[in-house]
Amino acid sequence: MTIETIIGRQDIRCTVVVDDLQTLSTFLSEQIGAIVGLHSVESQLVDHVYAQGSNWRPRALDPTAEKELSSMSADRRAHPDRLHAIDPALISLLVVDARAPALVLAEALAVSETLVRRRIGALIDSGLLVLRVEAAPHLIGVSYSSAIWFSFSALELHDAAKLLSTIPEARWTVTMVAGRANLLCVFWIRDFARLHAIERSIRERFVNVQVVDRSVRLRSVKRMMHLLDDEELTVKIVPARLHAVASDRG
């Protein structure tokens, strides 16, 4: 989904979405493992997402507009029991053009416009389809991105993740169940002084927290299926492979 070159213990960080651990194992061993020149791979398994790019705001709106936007984009997370057979293809089309009219999508899928509208509504209401607007960071005044891996006690982990996800610069906050760290937070910041201030505040709130690792992004090569140029502007879209787990003909 996302590929970045970074400064840190690794050279590249990839965010990968898979159906199950067997698929991840195959991907790591047969695809990643086959890359010539690869020295090592470190994998971390995310179990819960507390904050993601669709929730992040660059604070460009006034408080009133921000409140209205937040109420419109509330994530209800009522996942449907079944996916319709057209959902993977529908999502792939929306990845390419999120503004495509329902009639155009229906013609491409050879189904009714009513069905397309119903499925889009159901996917958005469930949280399986999330609307977001991306911009090249430097164009919105965000010069740097830094990832920090933390280790919290099991008793503090949930509260820490919720607290970190409310930090304005926190663009991605997740907990993990593999590796030395159990929480990863990615901050989009204007300068490194702010990053140090954030870390100090976390240490003051959670005195036993350990920082396991840090990295700074050099460049985003791919973000949410969009291949980017040197200015981090979209040059090509590579939709994810999606599969309907069941068919809902209703």
Side-chain angles (χ1 to χ4, degrees):
M1 301 291 285
T2 297
I3 303 172
E4 300 171 314
T5 60
I6 61 176
I7 299 174
R9 291 191 303 117
Q10 298 85 25
D11 300 314
I12 298 173
R13 184 173 75 230
C14 302
T15 302
V16 180
V17 177
V18 294
D19 292 327
D20 49 45
L21 291 180
Q22 180 58 50
T23 305
L24 177 61
S25 176
T26 301
F27 173 74
L28 291 174
S29 60
E30 297 183 5
Q31 294 181 259
I32 299 299
I35 297 175
V36 176
L38 181 69
H39 288 276
S40 64
V41 176
E42 180 178 340
S43 304
Q44 297 162 328
L45 185 63
V46 171
D47 74 311
H48 189 79
V49 178
Y50 284 82
Q52 57 182 320
S54 58
N55 309 122
W56 183 80
R57 301 288 182 262
R59 291 173 288 173
L61 301 175
D62 61 59
T64 300
E66 176 70 26
K67 184 177 180 180
E68 291 177 356
L69 182 62
S70 298
S71 64
M72 290 172 59
S73 60
D75 187 357
R76 290 172 282 270
R77 294 291 175 188
H79 292 282
D81 294 330
R82 295 178 294 174
L83 295 180
H84 195 282
I86 73 166
D87 287 351
L90 175 59
I91 293 173
S92 294
L93 290 173
L94 290 171
V95 167
V96 175
D97 183 5
R99 295 185 175 92
L103 178 59
V104 173
L105 296 171
E107 291 175 348
L109 297 171
V111 297
S112 70
E113 182 180 354
T114 300
L115 176 59
V116 167
R117 291 184 182 278
R118 188 167 69 242
R119 293 312 307 160
I120 291 176
L123 290 168
I124 291 176
D125 287 345
S126 71
L128 293 176
L129 187 63
V130 178
L131 304 179
R132 60 193 282 175
V133 176
E134 289 286 357
H138 67 278
L139 296 179
I140 56 175
V142 183
S143 302
Y144 307 102
S145 172
S146 178
I148 302 181
W149 286 260
F150 298 95
S151 178
F152 289 92
S153 71
L155 293 177
E156 294 180 323
L157 182 59
H158 177 63
D159 289 340
K162 289 198 300 182
L163 178 63
L164 265 67
S165 67
T166 65
I167 297 174
E169 291 85 356
R171 184 171 165 90
W172 200 46
T173 305
V174 298
T175 54
M176 301 177 295
V177 293
R180 293 187 299 148
N182 57 9
L183 190 149
L184 168 62
C185 198
V186 176
F187 301 99
W188 278 24
I189 50 177
R190 300 179 187 276
D191 55 62
F192 290 120
R194 174 56 182 158
L195 184 65
H196 296 316
I198 290 172
E199 188 171 329
R200 284 196 301 270
S201 67
I202 295 171
R203 288 185 176 276
E204 290 170 357
R205 172 64 176 82
F206 302 96
V207 295
N208 295 319
V209 63
Q210 295 182 356
V211 173
V212 175
D213 200 4
R214 302 179 183 87
S215 72
V216 173
R217 181 190 65 209
L218 282 174
R219 184 193 159 198
S220 292
V221 179
K222 182 181 183 182
R223 184 181 302 128
M224 292 305 295
M225 298 170 281
H226 288 241
L227 293 181
L228 308 175
D229 62 14
D230 291 342
E231 295 295 317
E232 298 201 20
L233 302 176
T234 298
V235 294
K236 184 180 179 181
I237 298 175
V238 183
R241 292 191 181 97
L242 303 171
H243 305 281
V245 296
S247 179
D248 176 6
R249 298 295 179 182

